[in-house]
PDB file of all heavy atoms in Angstrom:
ATOM      1  N   VAL S 841     -51.395   0.496   1.727  1.00 89.00           N
ATOM      2  CA  VAL S 841     -50.420   0.391   2.815  1.00 89.00           C
ATOM      3  C   VAL S 841     -50.979  -0.390   3.996  1.00 89.00           C
ATOM      4  O   VAL S 841     -50.310  -1.272   4.553  1.00 89.00           O
ATOM      5  CB  VAL S 841     -49.975   1.800   3.269  1.00 89.00           C
ATOM      6  CG1 VAL S 841     -49.133   1.709   4.548  1.00 89.00           C
ATOM      7  CG2 VAL S 841     -49.186   2.489   2.172  1.00 89.00           C
ATOM      8  N   PHE S 842     -52.227  -0.070   4.396  1.00 90.00           N
ATOM      9  CA  PHE S 842     -52.778  -0.640   5.617  1.00 90.00           C
ATOM     10  C   PHE S 842     -53.672  -1.849   5.375  1.00 90.00           C
ATOM     11  O   PHE S 842     -54.087  -2.514   6.334  1.00 90.00           O
ATOM     12  CB  PHE S 842     -53.561   0.431   6.384  1.00 90.00           C
ATOM     13  CG  PHE S 842     -52.709   1.584   6.847  1.00 90.00           C
ATOM     14  CD1 PHE S 842     -52.786   2.829   6.233  1.00 90.00           C
ATOM     15  CD2 PHE S 842     -51.819   1.418   7.889  1.00 90.00           C
ATOM     16  CE1 PHE S 842     -52.011   3.883   6.648  1.00 90.00           C
ATOM     17  CE2 PHE S 842     -51.032   2.469   8.327  1.00 90.00           C
ATOM     18  CZ  PHE S 842     -51.124   3.704   7.705  1.00 90.00           C
ATOM     19  N   GLY S 843     -53.986  -2.129   4.131  1.00 91.00           N
ATOM     20  CA  GLY S 843     -54.773  -3.315   3.825  1.00 91.00           C
ATOM     21  C   GLY S 843     -56.187  -3.280   4.343  1.00 91.00           C
ATOM     22  O   GLY S 843     -56.723  -4.293   4.789  1.00 91.00           O
ATOM     23  N   THR S 844     -56.812  -2.115   4.319  1.00 94.00           N
ATOM     24  CA  THR S 844     -58.193  -1.979   4.771  1.00 94.00           C
ATOM     25  C   THR S 844     -58.929  -0.996   3.866  1.00 94.00           C
ATOM     26  O   THR S 844     -58.321  -0.064   3.324  1.00 94.00           O
ATOM     27  CB  THR S 844     -58.259  -1.477   6.232  1.00 94.00           C
ATOM     28  OG1 THR S 844     -59.635  -1.304   6.611  1.00 94.00           O
ATOM     29  CG2 THR S 844     -57.531  -0.166   6.409  1.00 94.00           C
ATOM     30  N   ASP S 845     -60.242  -1.208   3.727  1.00 96.00           N
ATOM     31  CA  ASP S 845     -61.039  -0.263   2.948  1.00 96.00           C
ATOM     32  C   ASP S 845     -61.754   0.740   3.848  1.00 96.00           C
ATOM     33  O   ASP S 845     -62.551   1.542   3.381  1.00 96.00           O
ATOM     34  CB  ASP S 845     -62.049  -0.992   2.044  1.00 96.00           C
ATOM     35  CG  ASP S 845     -62.916  -1.973   2.805  1.00 96.00           C
ATOM     36  OD1 ASP S 845     -62.877  -1.977   4.047  1.00 96.00           O
ATOM     37  OD2 ASP S 845     -63.645  -2.750   2.151  1.00 96.00           O
ATOM     38  N   TRP S 846     -61.451   0.711   5.160  1.00 97.00           N
ATOM     39  CA  TRP S 846     -61.940   1.764   6.059  1.00 97.00           C
ATOM     40  C   TRP S 846     -61.090   3.016   5.863  1.00 97.00           C
ATOM     41  O   TRP S 846     -59.858   2.934   5.754  1.00 97.00           O
ATOM     42  CB  TRP S 846     -61.829   1.318   7.506  1.00 97.00           C
ATOM     43  CG  TRP S 846     -62.921   0.398   7.966  1.00 97.00           C
ATOM     44  CD1 TRP S 846     -63.694  -0.413   7.189  1.00 97.00           C
ATOM     45  CD2 TRP S 846     -63.343   0.196   9.314  1.00 97.00           C
ATOM     46  NE1 TRP S 846     -64.575  -1.113   7.969  1.00 97.00           N
ATOM     47  CE2 TRP S 846     -64.384  -0.761   9.285  1.00 97.00           C
ATOM     48  CE3 TRP S 846     -62.949   0.711  10.543  1.00 97.00           C
ATOM     49  CZ2 TRP S 846     -65.034  -1.193  10.443  1.00 97.00           C
ATOM     50  CZ3 TRP S 846     -63.584   0.283  11.696  1.00 97.00           C
ATOM     51  CH2 TRP S 846     -64.617  -0.658  11.640  1.00 97.00           C
ATOM     52  N   ILE S 847     -61.727   4.174   5.835  1.00 97.00           N
ATOM     53  CA  ILE S 847     -60.984   5.422   5.707  1.00 97.00           C
ATOM     54  C   ILE S 847     -61.725   6.550   6.429  1.00 97.00           C
ATOM     55  O   ILE S 847     -62.923   6.729   6.252  1.00 97.00           O
ATOM     56  CB  ILE S 847     -60.758   5.798   4.213  1.00 97.00           C
ATOM     57  CG1 ILE S 847     -59.757   6.960   4.098  1.00 97.00           C
ATOM     58  CG2 ILE S 847     -62.056   6.130   3.513  1.00 97.00           C
ATOM     59  CD1 ILE S 847     -58.325   6.574   4.374  1.00 97.00           C
ATOM     60  N   LYS S 848     -60.998   7.227   7.296  1.00 97.00           N
ATOM     61  CA  LYS S 848     -61.536   8.446   7.892  1.00 97.00           C
ATOM     62  C   LYS S 848     -61.242   9.575   6.926  1.00 97.00           C
ATOM     63  O   LYS S 848     -60.077   9.925   6.695  1.00 97.00           O
ATOM     64  CB  LYS S 848     -60.899   8.721   9.255  1.00 97.00           C
ATOM     65  CG  LYS S 848     -61.449   9.993   9.896  1.00 97.00           C
ATOM     66  CD  LYS S 848     -60.648  10.405  11.114  1.00 97.00           C
ATOM     67  CE  LYS S 848     -61.095  11.787  11.575  1.00 97.00           C
ATOM     68  NZ  LYS S 848     -60.225  12.347  12.648  1.00 97.00           N
ATOM     69  N   LEU S 849     -62.290  10.123   6.368  1.00 97.00           N
ATOM     70  CA  LEU S 849     -62.139  11.112   5.301  1.00 97.00           C
ATOM     71  C   LEU S 849     -62.110  12.524   5.862  1.00 97.00           C
ATOM     72  O   LEU S 849     -63.076  12.990   6.461  1.00 97.00           O
ATOM     73  CB  LEU S 849     -63.284  10.963   4.304  1.00 97.00           C
ATOM     74  CG  LEU S 849     -63.276  11.905   3.102  1.00 97.00           C
ATOM     75  CD1 LEU S 849     -62.015  11.713   2.257  1.00 97.00           C
ATOM     76  CD2 LEU S 849     -64.531  11.698   2.243  1.00 97.00           C
ATOM     77  N   GLU S 850     -60.986  13.196   5.662  1.00 96.00           N
ATOM     78  CA  GLU S 850     -60.825  14.591   6.065  1.00 96.00           C
ATOM     79  C   GLU S 850     -60.455  15.421   4.842  1.00 96.00           C
ATOM     80  O   GLU S 850     -59.522  15.076   4.116  1.00 96.00           O
ATOM     81  CB  GLU S 850     -59.735  14.734   7.117  1.00 96.00           C
ATOM     82  CG  GLU S 850     -59.989  13.973   8.409  1.00 96.00           C
ATOM     83  CD  GLU S 850     -58.876  14.187   9.431  1.00 96.00           C
ATOM     84  OE1 GLU S 850     -58.336  15.319   9.493  1.00 96.00           O
ATOM     85  OE2 GLU S 850     -58.536  13.238  10.144  1.00 96.00           O
ATOM     86  N   VAL S 851     -61.192  16.509   4.629  1.00 96.00           N
ATOM     87  CA  VAL S 851     -60.856  17.490   3.603  1.00 96.00           C
ATOM     88  C   VAL S 851     -60.898  18.847   4.291  1.00 96.00           C
ATOM     89  O   VAL S 851     -61.973  19.370   4.606  1.00 96.00           O
ATOM     90  CB  VAL S 851     -61.837  17.464   2.421  1.00 96.00           C
ATOM     91  CG1 VAL S 851     -61.384  18.468   1.347  1.00 96.00           C
ATOM     92  CG2 VAL S 851     -61.942  16.071   1.822  1.00 96.00           C
ATOM     93  N   VAL S 852     -59.743  19.414   4.566  1.00 95.00           N
ATOM     94  CA  VAL S 852     -59.647  20.652   5.332  1.00 95.00           C
ATOM     95  C   VAL S 852     -60.054  21.848   4.474  1.00 95.00           C
ATOM     96  O   VAL S 852     -59.568  22.012   3.353  1.00 95.00           O
ATOM     97  CB  VAL S 852     -58.219  20.841   5.873  1.00 95.00           C
ATOM     98  CG1 VAL S 852     -58.095  22.166   6.611  1.00 95.00           C
ATOM     99  CG2 VAL S 852     -57.837  19.688   6.786  1.00 95.00           C
TER     100      VAL S 852
END
Side-chain angles (χ1 to χ4, degrees):
V841 171
F842 297 107
T844 178
D845 53 9
W846 281 24
I847 191 74
K848 180 190 171 188
L849 181 61
E850 299 181 36
V851 183
V852 177

